[in-house]
Amino acid sequence: MDRVTKILIVEDEMLIAANISLELTSMGYEIMGIIPRGEEALLHIRETQPDILLLDINLKGKLDGIEVATEMQKDFDIPVVYLTANTDDAHFNRAKETKPYAFISKPFKKRDLKRALELTVVRIESEKQSKISHEVGNEESTVLDDSLFVRYQESMVKVPIAGIQYIEADRNYCRIYTSGKEYLLVLTLKDMEEKLPKRHFMRIHRSFIVNVSHIKEVATSHLVVADKLIPISKAYKEALLKRLQTI
């Protein structure tokens, strides 16, 4: 995360909470508060919406830490890191239902605290990037019956499906090849395959999708599309040959 990560500590042993707060502040985190009761924590979460909730399982009061996490998750998607001195199966299984990012045993070690929070921040960032990529991917192309609208430079341009020869994977991108142009999309080949009309296109290799109508030749280990030799995997070849017999 580029900005400072905000953490709310929910812990009813104030000496432990103060020690955690000092340690986390020294690591560069921003502490949004130290709350001893679950009921107060829910109000504070609503007001401050921290990035991470550091939550003791065995809170005193009406709500324990697991119940606080359960209630919080009805309205917010805030990562939970549990603090616990009780590691029995019953508590663990209840806590597991709230899908925490980490557990830290008490009495905690500074190294364990540091690593648990660092891994949580990495996971938050990874999930954020995954979500952005998915949203961008959905905006990269729109499929109509006879054409695709794909992002090209600063515009969405219409590409007739009949004119698409093949599509090639390029890591987390894919390239659409037509007779006249090439389009690079921020979209995986798998996601692209799901968007394309199956009556026109077929996956023939982990890195290639072809427009069946543009196939000129099928050889033992490759096929020819628009004068380009494209490898074909054994796993896909039988299905392709059956399909070609129906054309």
Side-chain angles (χ1 to χ4, degrees):
M1 289 184 173
D2 294 331
R3 61 181 181 82
V4 176
T5 302
K6 301 182 295 182
I7 299 176
L8 179 65
I9 300 170
V10 185
E11 167 63 70
D12 56 11
E13 296 184 61
M14 296 312 291
L15 286 176
I16 293 176
N19 189 12
I20 291 172
S21 178
L22 288 172
E23 295 286 7
L24 293 181
T25 300
S26 72
M27 296 174 196
Y29 297 104
E30 180 181 351
I31 305 305
M32 304 304 293
I34 298 174
I35 309 297
R37 294 289 186 273
E39 302 89 326
E40 297 173 44
L42 290 172
L43 293 173
H44 206 77
I45 290 166
R46 190 170 295 278
E47 292 172 0
T48 62
Q49 295 186 32
D51 298 311
I52 298 171
L53 187 62
L54 190 57
L55 182 59
D56 182 23
I57 286 180
N58 298 305
L59 293 174
K60 296 171 184 174
K62 294 180 180 179
L63 300 175
D64 67 13
I66 300 169
E67 290 169 327
V68 170
T70 302
E71 286 299 312
M72 177 273 293
Q73 290 172 348
K74 292 178 181 178
D75 297 308
F76 302 100
D77 186 20
I78 297 172
V80 172
V81 175
Y82 281 122
L83 291 162
T84 181
N86 193 336
T87 56
D88 64 68
D89 288 343
H91 281 83
F92 177 77
N93 289 330
R94 282 183 61 221
K96 191 169 62 174
E97 292 298 314
T98 64
K99 297 180 173 58
Y101 281 50
F103 285 86
I104 301 172
S105 296
K106 294 194 294 184
F108 73 90
K109 296 178 181 178
K110 181 178 179 179
R111 181 183 63 183
D112 294 338
L113 182 68
K114 183 174 185 291
R115 288 179 176 176
L117 270 298
E118 286 180 353
L119 288 172
T120 298
V121 170
V122 168
R123 182 172 162 189
I124 292 169
E125 190 62 27
S126 176
E127 289 173 351
K128 184 193 298 182
Q129 290 301 321
S130 178
K131 182 178 179 182
I132 290 172
S133 296
H134 180 72
E135 290 173 349
V136 169
N138 285 339
E139 293 174 357
E140 286 290 310
S141 65
T142 301
V143 182
L144 301 179
D145 287 340
D146 62 348
S147 60
L148 297 177
F149 273 90
V150 302
R151 188 169 296 281
Y152 183 69
Q153 297 177 352
E154 300 300 319
S155 303
M156 296 293 286
V157 298
K158 187 175 183 179
V159 180
I161 283 174
I164 297 173
Q165 297 169 337
Y166 63 93
I167 302 162
E168 182 177 7
D170 186 356
R171 296 186 181 180
N172 288 326
Y173 300 83
C174 63
R175 296 180 184 274
I176 296 177
Y177 291 88
T178 68
S179 58
K181 280 187 178 179
E182 173 187 331
Y183 303 92
L184 179 65
L185 305 184
V186 185
L187 198 66
T188 65
L189 195 67
K190 182 176 184 295
D191 289 336
M192 190 68 203
E193 183 180 15
E194 291 174 357
K195 286 174 173 284
L196 292 169
K198 289 180 171 51
R199 66 182 181 277
H200 296 291
F201 295 92
M202 186 169 181
R203 183 82 165 259
I204 51 95
H205 186 272
R206 63 191 176 96
S207 298
F208 288 93
I209 295 171
V210 299
N211 187 331
V212 177
S213 64
H214 282 276
I215 296 174
K216 292 183 177 180
E217 178 185 336
V218 179
T220 303
S221 60
H222 69 272
L223 50 80
V224 178
V225 174
D227 298 325
K228 178 178 174 64
L229 272 62
I230 297 177
I232 181 168
S233 302
K234 289 182 179 179
Y236 295 105
K237 187 174 181 180
E238 184 178 350
L240 175 64
L241 291 176
K242 286 181 179 178
R243 175 125 175 227
L244 292 178
Q245 289 172 0
T246 66
I247 294 175

